[in-house]
Amino acid sequence: MKQEAFRREVQEFLEQSLSPELRRAGQLMTSVFADFEATMQWHRILHQRGWVAADWPEEYGGTGWDINQRYIFQEECKLAGAPALLPMGLQMLGPMLIRYGTQAQKDYYLPRILSGEHVWCQGYSEPGAGSDLASLKTTAVADGDDYVINGSKIWTSYAQYASHIFCLVRTSKQGKPQAGISFVLVEMDSPGLSVEPIIGLDGRAEQCQVFFDDVRAPIANRVGDENQGWTVAKYLLEFERGGHNFTTDLKKQLSRLRRQGESECGPDGTPVLQDSATRQRLAELEVEALALECTELRIKGALAAGDNPGALSSLVKVVGTELGQRLSELGLDILGQEVARYQPEAMEPEFAGDVLGPDCALTSMAEYINHRATTIYGGTAEIQRDIIAKQVLDL
Amino acid sequence: MHIEFSDEQNMLRESAARYLADNYDFEARRKTSSAAPGFSPAHWQQFAEMGWLAMPLPEAQGGFGFGAVELMLLAEEMGRHLVLEPYLETVVVAGGLLQHGALQELLDRYLPAIAEGTLQGAFAHGEPGAHASAQNVRCHAAPAVDGGFILSGEKAVVCNGPNADILLVSARLEGVAGLSLFLVEADMPGLERRDYATWDGRRACDLVLREVSLPASALVGEAGSAEALIERVADTAVLFSCAESIGAMSSLLDRTRDYTSQRVQFGKSLSSFQVLRHRMADMLVEIELCRSLMLAAAQRLDQDTADSRRLVSALKVRTVKAARFVGQNAIQLHGGIAMTDELPVGHYFKRLALLEHQFGSRDDHLKRFCDAA
């Protein structure tokens, strides 16, 4: 009962707070990121309501919601078409600072993440260090009270909008590669730091490369001990891999596919969704999505009971991302040649002209393309399976 | 089954491979694709001079009368180099529809111009809100008093439409069962075009036809019998597009093999990891199975029998499956770098995705395969 009342409260809030422009920005998402301006506008609205950091403890400005409430909130936001919030500050750095940060770091950074004054990006991967993250080469050398940083980070999402970057840097070449890494916070307007956006296959610049040329950052901005950054990084990666709720994404995709299948006619002149082969293919994917939902509910149940879900959380990223890819493929099957039109300007929320072709087909190809990245970032599907083999099966 | 290519066929393949390797670099392609007309008139003229545009056209109109095997060889090389030029739309489809259906007068007027590279064509069949199929054609033609026709309706995603001098438009002729096909010159009054780029860097348009007046000679083939004509030409187009896909997939596999061999992670090359080796082995298997079907279909296509139609549909079904597997895994094995506009890999991936739905989807061809049994 309490849960239903909470759900209604969330629904009412979303009904009142989500402008058509914000909903459009949510609807036009083809990756985990929405239009930046819309994202930050929504961030500030949620902050005002006290709901921006659903997962943080109350003492740090979080909601204090239990796991069921957090799940309901995520689901309702997604289904209402809200733009996604940027995860780098709220989902990644925030929880990490709460766990490992000094009091001064918490006092300074956490409120500014909440307010949206600081926008964070993540400096992990390098051109030569992808799956083998520990081989990273960006160096930080102590000089007085500062580190002097040199090197480059790549696949830095939304770095062009960020005010700060948290990065993994090499502070020692001794011992195992993992043993010489530190975790440092750097301001993006530091002298010597430059950002180069990377045009993606969808024609848009979501990723960047960040260059460090004698960039100075105070040693006080290190999180955790020197050369202990790997432990911090792993904690944060767990959030990137496991903190995501795939079921709500998949439900959103499924409802879009149904809409498309009802409006588009198949070769026999009737809606594609009346075709038994398509219906069966959709049903099979719904079964998979349901199996994943039940798995996510099991994890949630275990966490609520104070247990460790262990193996289950490892497989969720693999299953969730691969299932998302299969759903995006079905979108192509349903829409046929309608997906061919390339109209990048219409994918901006402020676009006021005519959309070529049906609106429901506008983002399908970008979605299909961008879903390819989901089994690459945050640890490839192959790396994830290695983790399952090693850590769960003990192979 | 063994195909021994003739000296002529081997020469064609080698010269196509050489010309494209020497002259079709990716950076130039990117520049060409980024602005109208979306293809290179200089390349098109070269294609004409090398005889490629005349290849499948009848000798009476300046063509060479070559068959499906030659088209297949050329298509594979074009796929390998991600050629933008509208060969499929102009030569294979527009040329094919005319060749098998048009009156002598139209053949003499248009086919030599196609062969010389001075005329481009497009096939306007699909309509808004529906998969392209005969069933979904709502375009309407009414007989005019002068023996001509008045054509009205809408067409969607007409590939090469923006550059086409002639459009072959499917429609329902009043009082006649079945589909009819009409030749419409691009500058005719009443024709409204909305041009755009497609995800594979080519050009297409949506069309509105408002009472376009056509002469009697504009009817291509017999009234009401266009479905068989379209099916016949579409089979050649399917062979061509599958061969193009196979060429593209071969290039993707080569690139993936090279990249994983030189990219070092965890102190060794990516290609030394078994899971990636097996994946690349599976990519090869996918490509070779398609190639076998492609060769068999090319050999029999010119006979246009139930057997050849069944083979073509099998080829399409199998190629779509392979194109997804190879395209997706080429990106997966490259990692993030393949998600950038800078690398050719993603451009191959997009071309493969758009070819899936041309001339019938996998599902359409699976049904046709069943029905032909």
Side-chain angles (χ1 to χ4, degrees):
Chain A
M1 246 358 255
K2 183 177 157 264
Q3 284 189 20
E4 279 319 298
F6 177 73
R7 190 181 289 276
R8 274 196 305 279
E9 187 187 354
V10 172
Q11 285 169 343
E12 276 165 29
F13 167 75
L14 292 170
E15 191 57 45
Q16 287 159 13
S17 320
L18 275 173
S19 66
E21 292 75 29
L22 287 175
R23 281 178 208 263
R24 181 71 180 161
Q27 193 192 339
L28 289 171
M29 284 174 63
T30 61
S31 71
V32 292
F33 298 103
D35 174 75
F36 178 71
E37 296 305 328
T39 300
M40 294 317 290
Q41 196 189 332
W42 181 231
H43 181 116
R44 288 187 292 269
I45 291 171
L46 284 173
H47 175 54
Q48 217 164 24
R49 183 70 176 78
W51 285 1
V52 79
D55 301 333
W56 294 15
E58 233 172 330
E59 53 179 311
Y60 293 106
T63 54
W65 289 336
D66 66 27
I67 193 156
N68 292 313
Q69 288 173 303
R70 275 142 60 183
Y71 192 87
I72 290 169
F73 181 70
Q74 265 191 28
E75 186 172 67
E76 290 300 327
C77 284
K78 189 77 76 173
L79 294 177
L85 298 176
L86 295 181
M88 290 80 85
L90 292 167
Q91 300 282 334
M92 299 177 182
L93 184 66
M96 204 279 300
L97 282 178
I98 289 169
R99 170 93 181 252
Y100 293 100
T102 62
Q103 195 57 47
Q105 287 169 340
K106 289 187 220 182
D107 290 346
Y108 179 69
Y109 290 115
L110 294 179
R112 288 168 176 81
I113 293 174
L114 290 174
S115 70
E117 181 190 339
H118 287 179
V119 175
W120 285 88
C121 62
Q122 179 191 28
Y124 269 32
S125 296
E126 296 181 4
S131 286
D132 185 9
L133 183 60
S135 69
L136 60 93
K137 291 195 168 57
T138 297
T139 56
V141 177
D143 178 37
D145 291 340
D146 293 340
Y147 281 122
V148 178
I149 304 172
N150 280 287
S152 174
K153 294 291 177 183
I154 199 165
W155 317 128
T156 322
S157 308
Y158 277 10
Q160 68 269 50
Y161 306 119
S163 61
H164 292 72
I165 181 169
F166 53 86
C167 14
L168 292 178
V169 291
R170 182 154 302 287
T171 38
S172 164
K173 288 178 178 138
Q174 307 296 313
K176 278 174 49 170
Q178 288 86 343
I181 293 171
S182 300
F183 191 102
V184 181
L185 312 176
V186 182
E187 292 185 16
M188 291 297 283
D189 59 7
S190 308
L193 190 153
S194 59
V195 175
E196 210 168 278
I198 298 169
I199 308 293
L201 281 185
D202 62 353
R204 307 204 296 172
E206 199 168 80
Q207 308 298 322
C208 298
Q209 187 166 0
V210 179
F211 298 90
F212 298 81
D213 181 14
D214 285 336
V215 172
R216 300 187 82 89
I219 291 177
N221 281 6
R222 191 186 65 226
V223 183
D225 293 336
E226 190 166 80
N227 299 331
Q228 295 302 309
W230 191 249
T231 317
V232 179
K234 276 208 313 201
Y235 179 74
L236 202 147
L237 263 186
E238 276 166 24
F239 271 86
E240 188 176 359
R241 286 171 187 164
H244 195 78
N245 176 350
F246 286 98
T247 298
T248 56
D249 290 339
L250 296 171
K251 281 184 178 168
K252 190 178 165 187
Q253 268 185 291
L254 280 165
S255 78
R256 186 182 293 187
L257 287 175
R258 273 190 223 102
R259 264 201 321 278
Q260 292 167 337
E262 281 157 12
S263 68
E264 183 75 15
C265 278
D268 62 353
T270 62
V272 177
L273 217 53
Q274 285 180 24
D275 171 60
S276 61
T278 310
R279 269 218 312 276
Q280 202 159 336
R281 212 175 301 157
L282 185 66
E284 271 176 31
L285 292 173
E286 280 182 274
V287 169
E288 298 292 323
L290 187 59
L292 183 67
E293 179 173 15
C294 292
T295 307
E296 289 196 329
L297 290 171
R298 259 174 86 194
I299 294 174
K300 197 160 65 91
L303 288 172
D307 293 341
N308 180 359
L312 291 179
S313 17
S314 311
L315 62 83
V316 164
K317 198 224 168 194
V318 176
V319 177
T321 51
E322 291 181 352
L323 194 47
Q325 292 178 334
R326 287 169 65 192
L327 288 170
S328 74
E329 274 184 55
L330 187 58
L332 301 196
D333 291 334
I334 288 175
L335 289 162
Q337 84 277 9
E338 304 269 21
V339 303
R341 302 179 183 93
Y342 178 57
Q343 196 185 14
E345 66 279 8
M347 284 162 63
E348 306 295 335
E350 66 274 13
F351 177 74
D354 286 343
V355 173
L356 296 165
D359 193 57
C360 67
L362 172 64
T363 56
S364 295
M365 191 65 195
E367 224 177 292
Y368 176 58
I369 291 167
N370 288 333
H371 264 282
R372 304 319 314 168
T374 63
T375 50
I376 297 171
Y377 61 62
T380 64
E382 289 79 12
I383 293 285
Q384 301 296 342
R385 286 184 170 85
D386 262 345
I387 292 173
I388 294 172
K390 275 185 206 144
Q391 295 183 0
V392 185
L393 292 171
D394 204 16
L395 292 171
Chain B
M1 180 182 78
H2 177 68
I3 296 195
E4 180 98 36
F5 293 123
S6 68
D7 290 347
E8 225 172 11
Q9 288 168 337
N10 279 323
M11 256 173 58
L12 168 72
R13 182 172 54 181
E14 282 158 23
S15 75
R18 197 170 336 105
Y19 175 79
L20 294 172
D22 292 348
N23 298 287
Y24 214 91
D25 80 286
F26 184 70
E27 280 317 306
R29 179 195 182 275
R30 179 200 301 284
K31 221 169 275 165
T32 302
S33 162
S34 67
F39 73 96
S40 152
H43 278 311
W44 193 249
Q45 211 42 57
Q46 274 298 313
F47 292 3
E49 274 163 40
M50 290 184 291
W52 296 358
L53 304 184
M55 227 174 62
L57 303 177
E59 292 176 56
Q61 279 86 27
F64 300 147
F66 282 2
V69 173
E70 288 83 0
L71 277 178
M72 171 198 83
L73 292 171
L74 187 62
E76 203 181 332
E77 292 308 322
M78 289 184 166
R80 200 182 284 277
H81 294 276
L82 214 51
V83 165
L84 288 164
E85 282 65 27
Y87 190 94
L88 174 62
E89 290 80 1
T90 298
V91 181
V92 179
V93 180
L97 289 170
L98 289 174
Q99 186 184 333
H100 296 294
L103 297 172
Q104 191 63 38
E105 175 199 336
L106 294 190
L107 295 183
D108 292 339
R109 190 181 321 156
Y110 296 117
L111 293 187
I114 289 179
E116 287 159 16
T118 53
L119 183 113
Q120 291 209 354
F123 177 40
H125 187 43
E127 300 191 4
H131 289 208
S133 72
Q135 187 74 35
N136 284 327
V137 172
R138 283 178 175 53
C139 259
H140 173 260
V145 279
D146 61 355
F149 308 94
I150 309 285
L151 193 58
S152 295
E154 289 183 56
K155 292 290 177 184
V157 197
V158 180
C159 294
N160 198 41
N163 299 312
D165 305 287
I166 55 167
L167 296 149
L168 289 137
V169 182
S170 59
R172 302 195 173 277
L173 178 57
E174 216 171 285
V176 178
L179 277 194
S180 302
L181 189 67
F182 297 91
L183 187 145
V184 180
E185 294 199 345
D187 54 4
M188 282 187 168
L191 196 62
E192 200 179 291
R193 252 178 34 213
R194 185 152 182 204
D195 298 349
Y196 46 83
T198 47
W199 276 96
D200 53 2
R202 297 183 170 218
R203 294 299 181 277
C205 69
D206 293 341
L207 278 182
V208 182
L209 301 113
R210 290 184 219 281
E211 303 193 339
V212 178
S213 276
L214 302 173
S217 62
L219 180 68
V220 177
E222 307 255 323
S225 70
E227 214 173 319
L229 171 61
I230 291 170
E231 191 181 351
R232 175 161 187 195
V233 174
D235 273 350
T236 310
V238 168
L239 173 71
F240 188 96
S241 64
C242 288
E244 184 186 333
S245 295
I246 289 166
M249 285 190 269
S250 308
S251 175
L252 280 177
L253 179 55
D254 289 348
R255 288 165 193 276
T256 306
R257 192 196 52 206
D258 292 351
Y259 183 81
T260 54
S261 301
Q262 44 111 338
R263 169 88 171 168
V264 174
Q265 293 282 273
F266 305 103
K268 46 188 180 175
S269 72
L270 283 182
S271 61
S272 62
F273 289 90
Q274 193 176 39
V275 65
L276 305 186
R277 296 165 72 85
H278 284 187
R279 197 80 52 81
M280 286 186 274
D282 285 338
M283 289 162 81
L284 179 79
V285 169
E286 289 290 308
I287 296 169
E288 289 309 319
L289 289 176
C290 292
R291 196 186 303 282
S292 304
L293 281 171
M294 172 185 80
L295 291 167
Q299 261 185 325
R300 271 169 264 186
L301 188 76
D302 296 328
Q303 298 155 16
D304 191 27
T305 59
D307 181 45
S308 74
R309 288 192 286 273
R310 196 159 177 267
L311 260 177
V312 166
S313 285
L315 170 64
K316 173 76 183 196
V317 170
R318 199 59 193 77
T319 303
V320 169
K321 184 177 171 216
R324 287 198 179 172
F325 183 81
V326 174
Q328 294 172 356
N329 278 297
I331 292 186
Q332 182 68 23
L333 267 55
H334 275 81
I337 192 74
M339 290 299 298
T340 66
D341 185 65
E342 192 185 322
L343 226 68
V345 174
H347 297 262
Y348 283 92
F349 175 83
K350 291 194 274 192
R351 178 65 182 153
L352 285 173
L354 289 207
L355 277 172
E356 280 185 16
H357 291 284
Q358 296 194 14
F359 310 101
S361 68
R362 175 188 55 181
D363 287 353
D364 302 341
H365 282 280
L366 201 53
K367 283 190 187 109
R368 188 170 175 252
F369 181 83
C370 291
D371 295 345

